[in-house]
């Protein structure tokens, strides 16, 4: 029983419905994250590929994430689809945290591209994404043209954007992006329709936040967000022995418009739990419909 796969929209690439979000191996400075040792990075990144996952998402401003991917996975480059992001910069704030402002110019996009390629020890990235600019910033910086130039140079195979309301609808309508990255989970359903619209346009769809960052106390989940779980009595819908996080992952993977759901962790045991949940497949149509009915009622 392996992880189910999808065709990644018009890219034609085959990706596992469970992907890996590599922000978790960013290191100590970015947003105060805990230090990641060389051994931890090596262990989790190779465990990701050993588990059968074929999609990895990172960013130019995720600390040491790209560096670790290059150091520990460059020799396995043919085994995974690699997505990163550009437009970002890193400004050292103090010894523990950094700020990550974005500069929306062609020059900064190409700086990020070349730095990312060098760090990850690869000649190309499969998907280069703009890191959540507004429509106005995208137009003013002529950012799409810059991405298309990267593609023409053979350094990028497909162009994408990580985006949210109120901009994502315009980006979908433009038809220029091959891939969209969109936040979504049972506890954050605001983009539910946008996901389907992106898929219907022929684009590949990456979901982030698909397990609501885990339960409060065990993960980084927001307690307020989890109140909707309690109000909807979703514990009643869990299979025997199934954790809330595993159920959330399966809920996200049941959305007909999603292609891959990037979930990050440094913990091999958590990775194994995620792989198990994804391998069990989507929720049944009856449970999925009942969950959405309860969540909608809880939000009223």
């Amino acid at each position: 029983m392996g992880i189910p796969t999808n065709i990644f929209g018009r890219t034609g690439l085959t990706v596992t419905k469970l992907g890996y979000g590599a922000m978790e191996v960013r290191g100590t400075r970015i947003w105060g994250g805990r230090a990641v040792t060389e051994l931890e990075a090596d262990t989790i990144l190779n465990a990701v590929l050993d588990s059968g996952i074929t999609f990895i998402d990172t960013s130019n401003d995720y600390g040491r994430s790209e560096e670790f991917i290059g150091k520990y996975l460059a020799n396995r480059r043919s085994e995974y689809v690699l997505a990163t992001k550009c437009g970002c910069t890193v400004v050292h704030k103090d010894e523990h945290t950094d700020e990550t402002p974005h500069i929306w110019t062609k020059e900064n996009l190409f700086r990020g591209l070349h730095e990312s390629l060098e760090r990850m020890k690869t000649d190309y990235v499969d998907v280069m994404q703009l890191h959540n600019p507004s429509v106005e910033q995208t137009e003013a910086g002529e950012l799409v043209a810059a991405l298309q130039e990267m593609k023409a140079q053979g350094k990028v195979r497909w162009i994408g954007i990580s985006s949210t309301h109120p901009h994502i609808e315009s980006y979908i309508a433009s038809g220029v992006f091959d891939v969209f990255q969109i936040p979504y989970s049972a506890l954050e359903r605001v983009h539910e329709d946008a996901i389907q619209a992106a898929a219907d346009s022929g684009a590949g769809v990456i979901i982030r936040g698909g397990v609501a960052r885990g339960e409060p106390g065990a993960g980084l989940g927001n307690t307020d967000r989890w109140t909707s779980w309690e109000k909807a009595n979703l514990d009643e819908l869990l299979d025997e022995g199934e954790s809330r996080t595993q159920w959330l992952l399966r809920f996200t993977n049941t959305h007909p418009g999603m292609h891959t759901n990037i979930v990050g962790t440094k913990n091999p045991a958590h990775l194994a739990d995620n792989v198990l949940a994804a391998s069990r497949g989507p929720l049944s149509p009856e449970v999925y419909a009942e969950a959405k009915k309860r969540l909608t009622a809880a939000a009223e």
Side-chain angles (χ1 to χ4, degrees), residues 48-121:
V48 164
L49 296 189
D50 291 344
S51 74
I53 290 172
T54 63
F55 186 87
I56 295 176
D57 175 83
T58 185
S59 179
N60 188 249
D61 64 348
Y62 287 175
R64 299 186 69 190
S65 176
E66 291 183 329
E67 174 196 340
F68 284 141
I69 289 170
K71 189 168 186 178
Y72 298 117
L73 295 186
N75 63 330
R76 303 180 69 175
R77 182 67 182 87
S78 63
E79 297 180 42
Y80 57 97
V81 174
L82 178 60
T84 192
K85 307 177 193 78
C86 61
C88 8
T89 59
V90 177
V91 177
H92 299 316
K93 187 177 179 182
D94 56 43
E95 63 179 308
H96 299 296
T97 60
D98 295 323
E99 291 181 348
T100 55
H102 291 70
I103 299 173
W104 299 114
T105 62
K106 175 181 177 180
E107 290 74 22
N108 191 49
L109 265 58
F110 270 89
R111 177 208 58 77
L113 168 68
H114 294 140
E115 185 174 80
S116 295
L117 293 175
E118 182 177 358
R119 286 173 173 174
M120 294 190 289
K121 299 179 182 177

Side-chain angles (χ1 to χ4, degrees), residues 138-161:
T138 300
E139 292 176 348
E142 299 182 342
L143 305 184
V144 172
L147 292 181
Q148 289 172 334
E149 186 174 336
M150 295 177 186
K151 190 173 178 180
Q153 292 177 1
K155 296 173 182 175
V156 167
R157 294 182 68 189
W158 304 97
I159 66 173
I161 188 166

Side-chain angles (χ1 to χ4, degrees), residues 151-173:
K151 190 173 178 180
Q153 292 177 1
K155 296 173 182 175
V156 167
R157 294 182 68 189
W158 304 97
I159 66 173
I161 188 166
S162 179
S163 186
T164 57
H165 294 313
H167 305 286
I168 192 167
E169 287 79 11
S170 295
Y171 288 133
I172 293 170

Side-chain angles (χ1 to χ4, degrees), residues 26 48 59 69 109 144 150 154 162 172 175 192 211 225 234 244 249 255 257 269 276 279 282 294:
R26 63 189 178 274
V48 164
S59 179
I69 289 170
L109 265 58
V144 172
M150 295 177 186
S162 179
I172 293 170
E192 196 164 77
V211 295
R225 185 181 298 166
L234 294 182
R244 289 177 168 186
L249 189 152
H255 193 304
L276 176 63
S279 298
R294 293 186 182 200

